[in-house]
Amino acid sequence: MAAADVATATPNPALGERMRQRPNLLLLISLLSGAITHAYHTFLYPLYITDEGIYTQQAWAVLREAALSPYTYFYDHAPFGWLVMAAWANVLPNQFEAFGNPINTMRVLMVVAHVISTGLLFGIVRRFCNSSAGAFFACFIFNFSPLAVYYQRQVLLDNLMVVWVLLAVYLIARNGDRVVTAISAGLAFGLAMVTKENAVFFLPALAYMAHKYSKDSRSRRFQTSFWWFGAGIPVGFYLLFAALRNELLPSGMNFDLNAPQAKHVSLLYTIWWQSNRTGISGRELFVRLLENSWMSRDSIILIGGLIAVVVVLILWSQDKSRTGYLVAGLMALGYGVYMARGSVLLDFYIVPMIPVLAMNAGLVFGTLMKSVPRPLQVAATSCIVAAALVIPGGYFLSHNTQGQIQVHDLYHLQVTPLQTRQVEWVRANIPANARIIIDDDIWTTLHDKPPYFPRAHSHFKAASDPAVRDKLFRKNWANIDYIVMSNKMRQAMERNNTGGQEQWMLDAIDQHGERVWDLNRGNIHLSVYRIVK
């Protein structure tokens, strides 16, 4: 062999080391950028919302009352999400007040969850398409998308569920040919389902993945069986918990949604109620949210992600060995069915779709980049990232109502201090023993930090929980002392009043309410009413 041939065949240690370091550097950049975009301004924007308050108060009940809810737990969601939140608060100094107020404390947990999800997403895309550029691109979208940042800062069970789903996918993608990996992946997916039940729509994709990745293994039967066993453990414990409390089935096996549950709550009744909730047509609501909420925040990830799903499925059809491509496409299709199924839909239900769309986009980008030289990969990726950040209407700059260029609201608009001022006024001017109707976003603040307001209750509970409605307020406006109105709380009360259950509270505002404090800033309206007897 010629000397030149020997030199060419001999590995270059320096080059090999640089190639090993490159993915680690891209991963580090992805983790840091995710932490920055989600942590910066998270205490100030967006507004605290009702659902953040609900999950925080349930975590509060776990630590303070050794219960799953400060009210009757009626299985509206499986509890693992707020058990994690309670564990988070328990290890912090000052617990729920560690970062100023309870929702802020839980928003820090959401940042931690996002960073973990980013690392898992990077690993999944890299394993599926063998491209660090594709993994980095997927994480860039996941970290900088205004749609992602807006919802992933909020204290939502969906954000915690995403961590477990991505962990389940990542563990299978490791393809370690070990039973312990299979059961761990199944267990992770089971924890996702008892964090937020809509994780079940990822089941077809993950079950197929568990089967396919064990196909050539000598322990295939064990791996597949143990994946299902692992997934069933958390769900089984949840069902057993309800059964031991005699709350699995409704009394008398009565599933009539027009009749309230008698004697006790029921897990299966609540599941039946959740799946049959009515209101605005689900498809009409989907279109409304798509046009007015999701597309206005980030049309790039929605349109580009949808195109990416189609391309990924085409790429898989051309090369059936790309199992990860089919899994990514099936995950998008499965959750898409859930989104468009025609039932009640809330705006933050989009959360689990965001990493899935980013995953598909990363696979497409990674596939394209593998066909070009490495310097061109770096140049192309840098140009796309720079364009997304510097072009108005992209991921960092936007136009305000006057058409002027500014950084996105996510990074400069301060709105939660308005809610803080409302709480401060309540503490300074309302007696601690007053009977108060509130929204859930300030519930934990008023119950966890002195002066305590033990008779401050959510309007939802005042309308539906017999212990609050019938014993404290007796469904009579004269038993209300104050009503603290959060932003858009009036609309929520009217939507929840289909059976007249909130009418006595609305009458208290309209016929007997004296506005003693209010604050208006743009489209944000906060107020406090004293009910005049």
Side-chain angles (χ1 to χ4, degrees):
M1 182 181 291
D5 294 332
V6 173
T8 302
T10 302
N12 186 330
L15 178 61
E17 182 64 23
R18 286 198 299 271
M19 292 180 68
R20 285 192 295 271
Q21 289 177 353
R22 183 172 175 270
N24 293 335
L25 177 61
L26 293 177
L27 174 59
L28 179 61
I29 293 172
S30 298
L31 295 176
L32 289 176
S33 60
I36 292 171
T37 55
H38 285 63
Y40 179 76
H41 225 59
T42 190
F43 296 156
L44 302 174
Y45 190 90
L47 280 174
Y48 305 132
I49 63 170
T50 297
D51 289 83
E52 290 186 281
I54 291 174
Y55 305 138
T56 303
Q57 72 181 247
Q58 289 173 315
W60 178 91
V62 171
L63 288 188
R64 300 289 186 264
E65 299 180 344
L68 294 178
S69 172
Y71 302 101
T72 301
Y73 173 58
F74 68 101
Y75 300 92
D76 50 333
H77 289 299
F80 189 70
W82 62 86
L83 290 176
V84 171
M85 292 163 60
W88 165 255
N90 193 46
V91 301
L92 296 173
N94 299 323
Q95 295 189 339
F96 289 96
E97 309 300 326
F99 292 93
N101 69 54
I103 293 183
N104 279 353
T105 299
M106 293 306 155
R107 282 192 174 185
V108 174
L109 176 61
M110 297 301 109
V111 175
V112 174
H114 174 77
V115 173
I116 295 172
S117 296
T118 300
L120 294 170
L121 180 63
F122 187 97
I124 291 167
V125 175
R126 187 177 173 220
R127 288 179 182 276
F128 280 176
C129 68
N130 193 29
S131 169
S132 298
F136 176 78
F137 185 74
C139 291
F140 170 75
I141 296 173
F142 189 48
N143 289 334
F144 283 89
S145 163
L147 185 68
V149 178
Y150 182 85
Y151 289 112
Q152 289 166 359
R153 284 179 176 176
Q154 296 177 1
V155 184
L156 300 172
L157 299 180
D158 309 70
N159 290 320
L160 297 177
M161 179 262 280
V162 163
V163 176
W164 297 111
V165 170
L166 292 178
L167 178 60
V169 176
Y170 176 78
L171 289 172
I172 304 173
R174 289 177 61 189
N175 201 17
D177 194 21
R178 297 175 61 188
V179 171
V180 67
T181 301
I183 194 171
S184 298
L187 181 61
F189 185 65
L191 292 176
M193 289 191 288
V194 294
T195 297
K196 190 72 180 287
E197 296 84 350
N198 51 9
V200 73
F201 287 88
F202 292 122
L203 178 61
L206 269 71
Y208 170 80
M209 185 181 182
H211 165 76
K212 192 68 175 179
Y213 270 69
S214 64
K215 187 175 182 179
D216 299 325
S217 170
R218 289 175 297 177
S219 58
R220 172 188 174 186
R221 182 178 301 176
F222 287 103
Q223 288 190 52
T224 305
S225 300
F226 274 97
W227 184 88
W228 283 101
F229 176 71
I233 290 174
V235 177
F237 270 109
Y238 185 43
L239 295 173
L240 179 62
F241 170 80
L244 292 176
R245 292 164 58 99
N246 192 31
E247 294 174 348
L248 180 62
L249 298 169
S251 58
M253 293 294 291
N254 181 14
F255 285 90
D256 183 3
L257 298 177
N258 295 317
Q261 296 183 74
K263 296 183 181 179
H264 60 79
V265 296
S266 162
L267 168 59
L268 295 184
Y269 180 94
T270 301
I271 292 174
W272 179 248
W273 167 74
Q274 293 271 31
S275 61
N276 288 277
R277 292 169 68 184
T278 57
I280 300 175
S281 166
R283 292 181 178 85
E284 178 186 344
L285 186 55
F286 176 81
V287 173
R288 183 183 301 180
L289 288 171
L290 185 64
E291 293 176 348
N292 300 330
S293 182
W294 302 331
M295 289 288 285
S296 62
R297 290 193 172 95
D298 185 6
S299 59
I300 298 174
I301 192 174
L302 296 175
I303 297 175
L306 180 61
I307 295 172
V309 171
V310 174
V311 174
V312 161
L313 292 175
I314 292 174
L315 290 172
W316 170 80
S317 68
Q318 295 173 345
D319 183 357
K320 298 296 177 61
S321 67
R322 293 166 165 165
T323 302
Y325 287 59
L326 179 58
V327 171
L330 288 177
M331 289 179 71
L333 293 177
Y335 200 79
V337 168
Y338 168 66
M339 296 287 290
R341 72 196 189 285
S343 187
V344 170
L345 195 65
L346 300 178
D347 62 341
F348 55 80
Y349 284 8
I350 192 69
V351 166
M353 184 63 89
I354 298 171
V356 174
L357 293 178
M359 184 188 303
N360 280 269
L363 291 176
V364 173
F365 187 78
T367 303
L368 292 174
M369 288 300 100
K370 285 196 294 185
S371 62
V372 301
R374 190 173 299 277
L376 188 57
Q377 291 184 31
V378 176
T381 305
S382 300
C383 288
I384 293 173
V385 168
L389 295 179
V390 302
I391 295 177
Y395 278 9
F396 187 69
L397 298 178
S398 63
H399 291 96
N400 61 20
T401 54
Q402 288 76 39
Q404 300 169 329
I405 297 176
Q406 64 175 30
V407 297
H408 200 282
D409 289 349
L410 291 162
Y411 305 111
H412 85 93
L413 196 60
Q414 301 184 14
V415 293
T416 59
L418 307 181
Q419 294 168 297
T420 301
R421 288 168 60 182
Q422 184 183 48
V423 171
E424 290 172 347
W425 190 93
V426 169
R427 291 189 177 282
N429 296 276
I430 296 181
N433 65 344
R435 294 164 294 187
I436 313 172
I437 300 294
I438 61 172
D439 203 348
D440 288 283
D441 62 291
I442 62 173
W443 192 98
T444 309
T445 296
L446 295 182
H447 286 76
D448 189 61
K449 180 181 177 182
Y452 304 109
F453 290 80
R455 300 204 289 180
H457 297 282
S458 160
H459 67 95
F460 290 109
K461 296 302 180 182
S464 60
D465 193 305
V468 179
R469 180 192 62 209
D470 301 331
K471 294 181 180 180
L472 178 62
F473 293 108
R474 299 176 185 174
K475 206 175 181 180
N476 187 337
W477 68 265
N479 293 320
I480 303 174
D481 297 317
Y482 290 88
I483 297 181
V484 181
M485 300 291 289
S486 67
N487 192 53
K488 298 183 180 180
M489 177 171 155
R490 175 69 187 234
Q491 293 94 310
M493 296 175 75
E494 291 172 348
R495 286 197 305 269
N496 195 46
N497 196 40
T498 53
Q501 56 266 44
E502 301 220 18
Q503 191 58 50
W504 58 281
M505 290 178 276
L506 293 170
D507 289 343
I509 297 171
D510 297 335
Q511 301 176 20
H512 309 280
E514 175 190 2
R515 187 180 298 175
V516 293
W517 181 89
D518 69 339
L519 190 154
N520 298 293
R521 182 79 56 82
N523 63 351
I524 298 172
H525 307 285
L526 308 175
S527 58
V528 179
Y529 288 88
R530 183 171 67 89
I531 307 305
V532 181
K533 308 298 192 293

PDB file of all heavy atoms in Angstrom, residues 414-433:
ATOM      1  N   GLN A 414     -45.319  43.413  30.384  1.00  0.00           N
ATOM      2  CA  GLN A 414     -45.487  43.023  31.786  1.00  0.00           C
ATOM      3  C   GLN A 414     -46.961  43.103  32.162  1.00  0.00           C
ATOM      4  O   GLN A 414     -47.523  44.195  32.235  1.00  0.00           O
ATOM      5  CB  GLN A 414     -44.655  43.927  32.698  1.00  0.00           C
ATOM      6  CG  GLN A 414     -43.166  43.911  32.386  1.00  0.00           C
ATOM      7  CD  GLN A 414     -42.359  44.738  33.374  1.00  0.00           C
ATOM      8  OE1 GLN A 414     -42.843  45.111  34.432  1.00  0.00           O
ATOM      9  NE2 GLN A 414     -41.111  45.014  33.016  1.00  0.00           N
ATOM     10  N   VAL A 415     -47.583  41.959  32.390  1.00  0.00           N
ATOM     11  CA  VAL A 415     -49.020  41.939  32.687  1.00  0.00           C
ATOM     12  C   VAL A 415     -49.345  41.340  34.056  1.00  0.00           C
ATOM     13  O   VAL A 415     -50.312  41.768  34.701  1.00  0.00           O
ATOM     14  CB  VAL A 415     -49.794  41.185  31.579  1.00  0.00           C
ATOM     15  CG1 VAL A 415     -49.737  41.950  30.269  1.00  0.00           C
ATOM     16  CG2 VAL A 415     -49.250  39.762  31.391  1.00  0.00           C
ATOM     17  N   THR A 416     -48.580  40.370  34.521  1.00  0.00           N
ATOM     18  CA  THR A 416     -48.915  39.757  35.815  1.00  0.00           C
ATOM     19  C   THR A 416     -48.790  40.723  36.990  1.00  0.00           C
ATOM     20  O   THR A 416     -49.475  40.509  38.005  1.00  0.00           O
ATOM     21  CB  THR A 416     -48.050  38.509  36.088  1.00  0.00           C
ATOM     22  OG1 THR A 416     -46.669  38.869  36.074  1.00  0.00           O
ATOM     23  CG2 THR A 416     -48.307  37.442  35.034  1.00  0.00           C
ATOM     24  N   PRO A 417     -47.960  41.785  36.940  1.00  0.00           N
ATOM     25  CA  PRO A 417     -47.964  42.748  38.050  1.00  0.00           C
ATOM     26  C   PRO A 417     -49.323  43.383  38.287  1.00  0.00           C
ATOM     27  O   PRO A 417     -49.623  43.814  39.409  1.00  0.00           O
ATOM     28  CB  PRO A 417     -46.928  43.797  37.613  1.00  0.00           C
ATOM     29  CG  PRO A 417     -45.961  43.024  36.780  1.00  0.00           C
ATOM     30  CD  PRO A 417     -46.827  42.053  36.021  1.00  0.00           C
ATOM     31  N   LEU A 418     -50.176  43.424  37.252  1.00  0.00           N
ATOM     32  CA  LEU A 418     -51.530  43.946  37.436  1.00  0.00           C
ATOM     33  C   LEU A 418     -52.319  43.028  38.365  1.00  0.00           C
ATOM     34  O   LEU A 418     -53.068  43.499  39.235  1.00  0.00           O
ATOM     35  CB  LEU A 418     -52.236  44.064  36.084  1.00  0.00           C
ATOM     36  CG  LEU A 418     -51.505  44.844  34.988  1.00  0.00           C
ATOM     37  CD1 LEU A 418     -52.347  44.878  33.715  1.00  0.00           C
ATOM     38  CD2 LEU A 418     -51.183  46.254  35.452  1.00  0.00           C
ATOM     39  N   GLN A 419     -52.153  41.730  38.189  1.00  0.00           N
ATOM     40  CA  GLN A 419     -52.833  40.783  39.069  1.00  0.00           C
ATOM     41  C   GLN A 419     -52.257  40.843  40.483  1.00  0.00           C
ATOM     42  O   GLN A 419     -52.995  40.687  41.465  1.00  0.00           O
ATOM     43  CB  GLN A 419     -52.710  39.373  38.495  1.00  0.00           C
ATOM     44  CG  GLN A 419     -53.451  39.202  37.164  1.00  0.00           C
ATOM     45  CD  GLN A 419     -53.103  37.911  36.462  1.00  0.00           C
ATOM     46  OE1 GLN A 419     -51.950  37.704  36.075  1.00  0.00           O
ATOM     47  NE2 GLN A 419     -54.085  37.038  36.277  1.00  0.00           N
ATOM     48  N   THR A 420     -50.966  41.093  40.593  1.00  0.00           N
ATOM     49  CA  THR A 420     -50.341  41.246  41.913  1.00  0.00           C
ATOM     50  C   THR A 420     -50.926  42.444  42.648  1.00  0.00           C
ATOM     51  O   THR A 420     -51.185  42.378  43.861  1.00  0.00           O
ATOM     52  CB  THR A 420     -48.816  41.402  41.760  1.00  0.00           C
ATOM     53  OG1 THR A 420     -48.294  40.233  41.099  1.00  0.00           O
ATOM     54  CG2 THR A 420     -48.150  41.546  43.116  1.00  0.00           C
ATOM     55  N   ARG A 421     -51.152  43.527  41.928  1.00  0.00           N
ATOM     56  CA  ARG A 421     -51.750  44.719  42.549  1.00  0.00           C
ATOM     57  C   ARG A 421     -53.166  44.433  43.042  1.00  0.00           C
ATOM     58  O   ARG A 421     -53.581  44.931  44.098  1.00  0.00           O
ATOM     59  CB  ARG A 421     -51.750  45.872  41.546  1.00  0.00           C
ATOM     60  CG  ARG A 421     -50.367  46.458  41.290  1.00  0.00           C
ATOM     61  CD  ARG A 421     -50.354  47.393  40.104  1.00  0.00           C
ATOM     62  NE  ARG A 421     -51.269  48.528  40.281  1.00  0.00           N
ATOM     63  CZ  ARG A 421     -51.454  49.463  39.351  1.00  0.00           C
ATOM     64  NH1 ARG A 421     -50.802  49.381  38.190  1.00  0.00           N
ATOM     65  NH2 ARG A 421     -52.294  50.456  39.576  1.00  0.00           N
ATOM     66  N   GLN A 422     -53.905  43.609  42.326  1.00  0.00           N
ATOM     67  CA  GLN A 422     -55.253  43.250  42.759  1.00  0.00           C
ATOM     68  C   GLN A 422     -55.210  42.464  44.073  1.00  0.00           C
ATOM     69  O   GLN A 422     -55.977  42.745  45.004  1.00  0.00           O
ATOM     70  CB  GLN A 422     -55.954  42.433  41.681  1.00  0.00           C
ATOM     71  CG  GLN A 422     -57.408  42.100  42.006  1.00  0.00           C
ATOM     72  CD  GLN A 422     -58.039  41.218  40.939  1.00  0.00           C
ATOM     73  OE1 GLN A 422     -57.450  40.212  40.534  1.00  0.00           O
ATOM     74  NE2 GLN A 422     -59.221  41.592  40.491  1.00  0.00           N
ATOM     75  N   VAL A 423     -54.301  41.493  44.151  1.00  0.00           N
ATOM     76  CA  VAL A 423     -54.160  40.700  45.378  1.00  0.00           C
ATOM     77  C   VAL A 423     -53.737  41.581  46.539  1.00  0.00           C
ATOM     78  O   VAL A 423     -54.240  41.439  47.670  1.00  0.00           O
ATOM     79  CB  VAL A 423     -53.161  39.549  45.163  1.00  0.00           C
ATOM     80  CG1 VAL A 423     -52.842  38.850  46.479  1.00  0.00           C
ATOM     81  CG2 VAL A 423     -53.715  38.542  44.156  1.00  0.00           C
ATOM     82  N   GLU A 424     -52.817  42.506  46.301  1.00  0.00           N
ATOM     83  CA  GLU A 424     -52.366  43.414  47.355  1.00  0.00           C
ATOM     84  C   GLU A 424     -53.519  44.263  47.875  1.00  0.00           C
ATOM     85  O   GLU A 424     -53.633  44.508  49.087  1.00  0.00           O
ATOM     86  CB  GLU A 424     -51.243  44.311  46.832  1.00  0.00           C
ATOM     87  CG  GLU A 424     -49.935  43.561  46.585  1.00  0.00           C
ATOM     88  CD  GLU A 424     -48.900  44.425  45.889  1.00  0.00           C
ATOM     89  OE1 GLU A 424     -49.272  45.510  45.383  1.00  0.00           O
ATOM     90  OE2 GLU A 424     -47.722  44.007  45.831  1.00  0.00           O
ATOM     91  N   TRP A 425     -54.404  44.712  46.987  1.00  0.00           N
ATOM     92  CA  TRP A 425     -55.558  45.503  47.424  1.00  0.00           C
ATOM     93  C   TRP A 425     -56.495  44.647  48.277  1.00  0.00           C
ATOM     94  O   TRP A 425     -57.012  45.105  49.300  1.00  0.00           O
ATOM     95  CB  TRP A 425     -56.315  46.058  46.220  1.00  0.00           C
ATOM     96  CG  TRP A 425     -57.358  47.067  46.612  1.00  0.00           C
ATOM     97  CD1 TRP A 425     -57.224  48.416  46.688  1.00  0.00           C
ATOM     98  CD2 TRP A 425     -58.709  46.778  47.028  1.00  0.00           C
ATOM     99  NE1 TRP A 425     -58.395  48.998  47.125  1.00  0.00           N
ATOM    100  CE2 TRP A 425     -59.322  48.017  47.340  1.00  0.00           C
ATOM    101  CE3 TRP A 425     -59.448  45.619  47.170  1.00  0.00           C
ATOM    102  CZ2 TRP A 425     -60.643  48.115  47.775  1.00  0.00           C
ATOM    103  CZ3 TRP A 425     -60.760  45.708  47.608  1.00  0.00           C
ATOM    104  CH2 TRP A 425     -61.347  46.930  47.902  1.00  0.00           C
ATOM    105  N   VAL A 426     -56.718  43.413  47.850  1.00  0.00           N
ATOM    106  CA  VAL A 426     -57.581  42.511  48.609  1.00  0.00           C
ATOM    107  C   VAL A 426     -57.031  42.320  50.014  1.00  0.00           C
ATOM    108  O   VAL A 426     -57.777  42.403  51.009  1.00  0.00           O
ATOM    109  CB  VAL A 426     -57.720  41.154  47.889  1.00  0.00           C
ATOM    110  CG1 VAL A 426     -58.380  40.132  48.800  1.00  0.00           C
ATOM    111  CG2 VAL A 426     -58.502  41.315  46.597  1.00  0.00           C
ATOM    112  N   ARG A 427     -55.751  42.073  50.132  1.00  0.00           N
ATOM    113  CA  ARG A 427     -55.143  41.848  51.434  1.00  0.00           C
ATOM    114  C   ARG A 427     -55.239  43.083  52.322  1.00  0.00           C
ATOM    115  O   ARG A 427     -55.410  42.967  53.545  1.00  0.00           O
ATOM    116  CB  ARG A 427     -53.679  41.443  51.271  1.00  0.00           C
ATOM    117  CG  ARG A 427     -53.480  40.058  50.665  1.00  0.00           C
ATOM    118  CD  ARG A 427     -52.003  39.645  50.739  1.00  0.00           C
ATOM    119  NE  ARG A 427     -51.807  38.298  50.216  1.00  0.00           N
ATOM    120  CZ  ARG A 427     -52.083  37.185  50.868  1.00  0.00           C
ATOM    121  NH1 ARG A 427     -52.573  37.255  52.099  1.00  0.00           N
ATOM    122  NH2 ARG A 427     -51.872  36.009  50.336  1.00  0.00           N
ATOM    123  N   ALA A 428     -55.140  44.254  51.734  1.00  0.00           N
ATOM    124  CA  ALA A 428     -55.124  45.487  52.518  1.00  0.00           C
ATOM    125  C   ALA A 428     -56.512  45.993  52.876  1.00  0.00           C
ATOM    126  O   ALA A 428     -56.667  46.738  53.860  1.00  0.00           O
ATOM    127  CB  ALA A 428     -54.370  46.581  51.752  1.00  0.00           C
ATOM    128  N   ASN A 429     -57.556  45.567  52.144  1.00  0.00           N
ATOM    129  CA  ASN A 429     -58.857  46.202  52.309  1.00  0.00           C
ATOM    130  C   ASN A 429     -60.015  45.266  52.619  1.00  0.00           C
ATOM    131  O   ASN A 429     -61.098  45.732  52.977  1.00  0.00           O
ATOM    132  CB  ASN A 429     -59.204  46.989  51.040  1.00  0.00           C
ATOM    133  CG  ASN A 429     -58.252  48.134  50.783  1.00  0.00           C
ATOM    134  OD1 ASN A 429     -58.406  49.228  51.333  1.00  0.00           O
ATOM    135  ND2 ASN A 429     -57.242  47.898  49.945  1.00  0.00           N
ATOM    136  N   ILE A 430     -59.832  43.966  52.491  1.00  0.00           N
ATOM    137  CA  ILE A 430     -60.933  43.025  52.729  1.00  0.00           C
ATOM    138  C   ILE A 430     -60.632  42.209  53.973  1.00  0.00           C
ATOM    139  O   ILE A 430     -59.528  41.678  54.120  1.00  0.00           O
ATOM    140  CB  ILE A 430     -61.134  42.104  51.512  1.00  0.00           C
ATOM    141  CG1 ILE A 430     -61.553  42.918  50.287  1.00  0.00           C
ATOM    142  CG2 ILE A 430     -62.174  41.039  51.816  1.00  0.00           C
ATOM    143  CD1 ILE A 430     -61.796  42.084  49.042  1.00  0.00           C
ATOM    144  N   PRO A 431     -61.579  42.112  54.916  1.00  0.00           N
ATOM    145  CA  PRO A 431     -61.365  41.308  56.128  1.00  0.00           C
ATOM    146  C   PRO A 431     -61.082  39.845  55.777  1.00  0.00           C
ATOM    147  O   PRO A 431     -61.644  39.296  54.826  1.00  0.00           O
ATOM    148  CB  PRO A 431     -62.685  41.442  56.889  1.00  0.00           C
ATOM    149  CG  PRO A 431     -63.318  42.687  56.342  1.00  0.00           C
ATOM    150  CD  PRO A 431     -62.888  42.776  54.913  1.00  0.00           C
ATOM    151  N   ALA A 432     -60.213  39.212  56.542  1.00  0.00           N
ATOM    152  CA  ALA A 432     -59.795  37.844  56.249  1.00  0.00           C
ATOM    153  C   ALA A 432     -60.949  36.847  56.359  1.00  0.00           C
ATOM    154  O   ALA A 432     -60.907  35.777  55.737  1.00  0.00           O
ATOM    155  CB  ALA A 432     -58.662  37.431  57.179  1.00  0.00           C
ATOM    156  N   ASN A 433     -61.979  37.167  57.146  1.00  0.00           N
ATOM    157  CA  ASN A 433     -63.102  36.232  57.307  1.00  0.00           C
ATOM    158  C   ASN A 433     -64.244  36.505  56.331  1.00  0.00           C
ATOM    159  O   ASN A 433     -65.318  35.926  56.444  1.00  0.00           O
ATOM    160  CB  ASN A 433     -63.619  36.279  58.737  1.00  0.00           C
ATOM    161  CG  ASN A 433     -64.228  37.630  59.097  1.00  0.00           C
ATOM    162  OD1 ASN A 433     -64.015  38.620  58.389  1.00  0.00           O
ATOM    163  ND2 ASN A 433     -64.971  37.680  60.196  1.00  0.00           N
TER     164      ASN A 433
END
